[in-house]
Structures are given as C-alpha cells and as structure tokens.
Amino acid sequence: MISDAAIASPLSCRASLPAQAGRCASAAREPRRDAQREAAHAQRVAERLGLVLSSVEVQRRVVRAGDIVYQAGQRFTHLFVASTGAYKIVNLTRDGREQIVSVKFRGDWLGLDGIADAAHECDAVALDTGEVWAVPYAALVQACAVRPGLMTAFHEAMGRELARDRSSLMSVCTLPADARVADFLHDWAAALACRGLRTDQITLRMTRAEVGNYLGLTLETVSRALSRLAREGLIAFADGARREIVIPDAEALGEFVHDALAPATALQ
Amino acid sequence: MISDAAIASPLSCRASLPAQAGRCASAAREPRRDAQREAAHAQRVAERLGLVLSSVEVQRRVVRAGDIVYQAGQRFTHLFVASTGAYKIVNLTRDGREQIVSVKFRGDWLGLDGIADAAHECDAVALDTGEVWAVPYAALVQACAVRPGLMTAFHEAMGRELARDRSSLMSVCTLPADARVADFLHDWAAALACRGLRTDQITLRMTRAEVGNYLGLTLETVSRALSRLAREGLIAFADGARREIVIPDAEALGEFVHDALAPATALQ
DNA sequence: CGACCTTTTGATAGTAGTCAAATGAAGTGG
DNA sequence: CCACTTCATTTGACTACTATCAAAAGGTCG
C-alpha cells in the first residue's frame, strides 16, 4: 500500500522526529498517563532484574566513578547488568581517539556488543557510584535454554538497545545543536523516570566535552546550548559547577525539541 | 589502569575513528589478507544462513524494489533474514517524517527491533529484487532452546547489528560531509565484499535524498560530495543517471576517510 | 592562596543548509 | 518518432550554524 510511495517520497534531511526518542519519552505529551506508565515500566525493569537474579548466579560488584566495568579488547566472558549507577560506553580506536556511543542506567545490559566476536569492542566506564552484576555468558545461555522466559527477556533487552541506539542516531542526524542538547537532557530524565527515579533534577556526571563527544558537538557548543536553554527557562542550574540541572517542565523541554523540526513538517 | 585517564581525558568532537566502520572494513589497510578474510567471512555468513534453514521452517519470499518486508506498527510475529538483495530500514514518526536508520544485505536479520515491544518500530523496504526468509519468532525461540548453537549465532547477529549501528553513529558524529559520503560508499563496498559479492562497482539503489537522509546531510550536499570525490578520482560514474558508482581503489577511499580525522590526531 | 581543570563567552572562519535555476534521464501520449 | 511532463541530479549564490581560536571567570583541591 505505501509500497511505492515510501521509496519514492522525497526525504529531506531535517525531516525526522526525535521527540519519541526513548519509548519512555513518547509519553511526554500525555501527562496523566505518565506516572502510571513510568511506574509500570519501573516495575517491569525490576521484574526483569529479578528474573536474571533467580536464573543465573551473578557476581555483584560495586563500582565508583571512573571504574572500568570492562575494557575493549578483553575476551568476552561475562555480560553485565547495571543495578544502580550510570555508565558510559566508549568506543576507542587504534589511534587513541574515543567516542561515547551510549549511556546506560539501571536495568540496562552492558557488553552485548562483545557477543559477536567474543571480545569487547568498547570500554564501559562507571560515571558514578553504582553496582553491576557480572553474568557469565555461558551460564546465561544454559539458563535461557531451560527458561524461554529468560531468553525472550534477554532478546527484548537487546532489541531495546537497538531501538535506543537508533533514536540517538536520529537525534544526531536531524537536530540542531540546542535541540540536540535538550533532547539529551530529556532522554536522560526519561530514562530515570522509567526506572522510578527522581527526574526533576539530574546530575550530569559527564563533562561538557563528554556530552559534546556523545552528541557530535564541541564542548563550547554544548556550553552555549545549555546557557541558551537556561536563559529560556527550560532548564536551570542548581549548583555552582553547573552540573546539577533542574528540569522544571519536562514536557516543555520535549516540546522544544519537537518544535525544532516543525518547520520541515509544514513543507510536507 | 586507564581508569581515571579515561574519564578525565579531554574529548574533542572530531576525535574519533570511522575507518573501522564495519568489521569487514577494518581489513582495508592489509590488502593481502583482504581476500582471505572476506572469503572466510562470506563462508561464515553462508554457514549461519544454513544453520537457520536447518533449524527452523522459514517461508521464502521474493521481493522487488519498493516492496515492504514489514511495516512499523505491525504486530511482531516473524523475524526476517535477507537472503539476497538490499534493504533499507526506515524509522517513521507520527508526523510523517522518516529517517533511514540502517541498510541491510545478505545474511542480515531484519526486524530485531520489534522483539522489545512485540511490534515493529520501523519499515523495512527492499531497495532491489531479492529474497527474504520469514522466520516465526516463536519457532526460533523453541529451536534456540534445543540448539544452543543457534541461540549463540542469533545473539551474535544481534551483537553485530549493535556494533554496526554504533560505527555508523560514529561516522555521522565525527566526519565532515565528503568523508561521510566516502565512508558510506566504502562501507557499502565492504559489506558486499564480506558477502563474496563484487565490490568494484556498486549500484546505489537509493536517491541522493535517501543517502542524505541516512547520513544526516541534504541531498545537495551529497551530490556535491560525490562530484568532488569523482573529481579527485576516488570514484567514477558508470552510467548516465550516476547511480552506478565505480570504486577503482577501495583502499584509497578508506584512506581518504581516515585522513579526514588525521589533523585531530596530530594534536593529541 | 595558588595550580589546575571545567566552564563560559567572544570574535572569526569554514562548512553545510537553503533557495533557486538549469540540465539530464525516463516515461507518456499525441 | 517526437514533444511534453516529471523526477532526479547538478550547480551556483547566499545564509546560518557550528567549529575554531582565544581569553577570562568560576570551582576544587593541594
């Protein structure tokens, strides 16, 4: 039905939507259901974590900011699950340059990229104090064979990660700098909200340079974007170092991101 | 060891590598091993396909350019494997904008993103005549429980896709327009090479607008980039419509991409 | 307090987007 | 078989955004 139209339609570059970035974020337009959804989601996260705990013997490990969960090049033997804390996934290259490709929170799996070639391709670094569970992959595979529920949950997690990567690709491809930063904050808040954590105030555990690296911007541009967002009242700073960011109205922030694409819509 | 250095190191935006984009592409600097590696890879792809065929009953389906393999919103019941042809994965949004998030070839799985929420999030559209196999997900899960080899192969495929998405994110984040287009072509050729297909000449089955959409550029910029690459002899056009692109020296193309980042390297 | 790091802000330059027009290829109907 | 339409592509001129370079201010920790 859409068959031919789909391939023939002209695709303008900025023609895309980021607002629905996370599955969680998509609820932002319906404030009523927000709380419900988030609670439900948080519960599902908890259930999945419980499922893992009950199926496989995991090794708990407390990490502090800067600690490496796993390192690129390491032989892949374990997967990790973030129980608490935040983590950055850094892809680094032979010539020493590095790129942050993802940020992880409670309930997310770490190390999935290592499965393909039996070696980790990225570093995973804790941004904060937290706890990770090390899950031996072999044991997980065995447990999955016995418990189809665990297998589908695991597949779900991988699929979710794919979807998340995609939406971040979309933001980077389509949003101007200010909106990209706004989207980043909005996503971060949404990720916390989905997990039942406080969302009105978030502590960036990354420097401007890191945020910029993640978003494909320079640190100066990130700084300017944050200043502009603050000037417009979409965010506020809670501390002197400007790492604590208050989001008075997450919906407004989402709207701002959405509006950045609106002009393109009109043309179509 | 790298622990603190990693988080403290200044991350400049353009500081990243795209040359290693695909796992396949990374072989480009070692021409000797290229053929071997690619042959080995092609065989592995064939083996994986055989594994699927022998484990699950699949439904073969021939598609032509523009045909939709699956559509966003559809209930997720089947996964698909590309046997031949090329496919674009299009993420479309409530307001009708669309973004090409991935391009798939022989051996790739389609629809993995649907597992997470039991519904497809993207459209998958054939760019060319080809054959896809529809694999009932339920049957796959059952087969995986019996055959751990299939499960790990499947996990591998998902992991590989994650890695690929990441590398494309990296290109988009870090490369200037010309290099981004060059990288796109280089990746495409590498993807074909990995599968044992001819790589010296590739037929773009996408319009400039589609390429631009995928790379986060406007169609004009893509056109200009192609013209410049042709002017420098890195590529050539084989037909009037300029869809057939000849790559006389894949290594040189890879080098061009790599050089786009060189200045940043020098500083570090 | 002083050294160091992060962040902010300004001035300037370069890249890519936007608008617009022309060319070329493909397909339609006379 | 050839005008005519339509769509993809190319190219130019101009604009806007973001990177770059540079300097200063604010925080943190010894």
Side-chain angles (χ1 to χ4, degrees), chain B residues 29 186 250-260:
Chain B
R29 322 296 280 309
H186 188 253
E251 214 179 323
L253 199 60
E255 203 56 43
F256 175 79
V257 175
H258 188 260
D259 288 352

Side-chain angles (χ1 to χ4, degrees), chain A:
Chain A
M1 184 210 239
I2 312 190
S3 173
D4 283 310
I7 196 170
S9 74
L11 300 165
S12 76
C13 165
R14 290 267 159 109
S16 180
L17 165 86
Q20 56 85 261
R23 214 159 303 28
C24 322
S26 67
R29 324 295 282 306
E30 301 157 13
R32 294 278 171 70
R33 295 184 188 167
D34 250 19
Q36 271 185 30
R37 266 207 193 182
E38 282 165 8
H41 207 109
Q43 196 178 340
R44 252 177 291 150
V45 169
E47 275 170 19
R48 283 199 293 264
L49 289 178
L51 185 60
V52 172
L53 272 185
S54 67
S55 306
V56 192
E57 188 161 341
V58 306
Q59 183 183 338
R60 291 159 182 265
R61 180 171 146 204
V62 174
V63 293
R64 287 182 314 154
D67 284 356
I68 294 188
V69 178
Y70 61 82
Q71 209 167 345
Q74 255 176 24
R75 218 175 108 62
F76 167 79
T77 55
H78 291 69
L79 283 167
F80 302 87
V81 180
S83 169
T84 54
Y87 306 82
K88 64 173 179 180
I89 309 301
V90 186
N91 196 337
L92 45 93
T93 68
R94 275 165 298 183
D95 25 4
R97 291 179 289 240
E98 42 189 30
Q99 166 81 31
I100 299 176
V101 290
S102 184
V103 179
K104 304 285 178 196
F105 301 96
R106 168 177 172 76
D108 290 335
W109 288 83
L110 308 173
L112 295 175
D113 55 71
I115 297 177
D117 290 314
H120 289 291
E121 298 207 324
C122 304
D123 288 0
V125 182
L127 292 171
D128 194 7
T129 303
E131 186 179 294
V132 291
W133 303 340
V135 183
Y137 181 61
L140 181 70
V141 168
Q142 285 190 319
C144 280
V146 181
R147 280 206 194 193
L150 180 62
M151 174 158 41
T152 51
F154 181 58
H155 292 174
E156 244 183 72
M158 290 193 90
R160 203 171 300 283
E161 178 153 356
L162 277 169
R164 189 132 60 96
D165 279 11
R166 259 168 210 183
S167 70
S168 78
L169 178 64
M170 210 142 92
S171 316
V172 168
C173 277
T174 59
L175 292 175
D178 285 16
R180 222 180 285 183
V181 173
D183 190 48
F184 169 73
L185 295 174
H186 189 252
D187 271 7
W188 188 302
L192 296 185
C194 283
R195 290 162 177 77
L197 308 171
R198 70 176 301 188
T199 170
D200 55 327
Q201 179 167 339
I202 62 188
T203 306
L204 281 191
R205 314 239 171 231
M206 304 163 74
T207 65
R208 303 288 191 258
E210 285 177 310
V211 175
N213 176 283
Y214 181 43
L215 299 177
L217 302 169
T218 57
L219 65 95
E220 294 94 328
T221 303
V222 173
S223 175
R224 275 187 250 268
L226 287 171
S227 296
R228 277 190 287 262
L229 291 174
R231 209 172 298 141
E232 298 191 28
L234 288 166
I235 62 170
F237 297 104
D239 69 331
R242 293 194 164 216
R243 288 284 187 91
E244 300 273 340
I245 293 179
V246 180
I247 301 178
D249 183 359
E251 215 178 324
L253 198 60
E255 202 57 43
F256 175 79
V257 175
H258 188 261
D259 287 351
L261 295 160
T265 320
L267 297 175
Q268 219 174 25

Side-chain angles (χ1 to χ4, degrees), chain B residues 29 70 100 126 147 174 180 195 203 214 218 227:
Chain B
R29 322 296 280 309
Y70 62 82
I100 299 176
R147 280 205 194 195
T174 61
R180 222 180 285 182
R195 289 160 180 80
T203 306
Y214 180 44
T218 58
S227 297

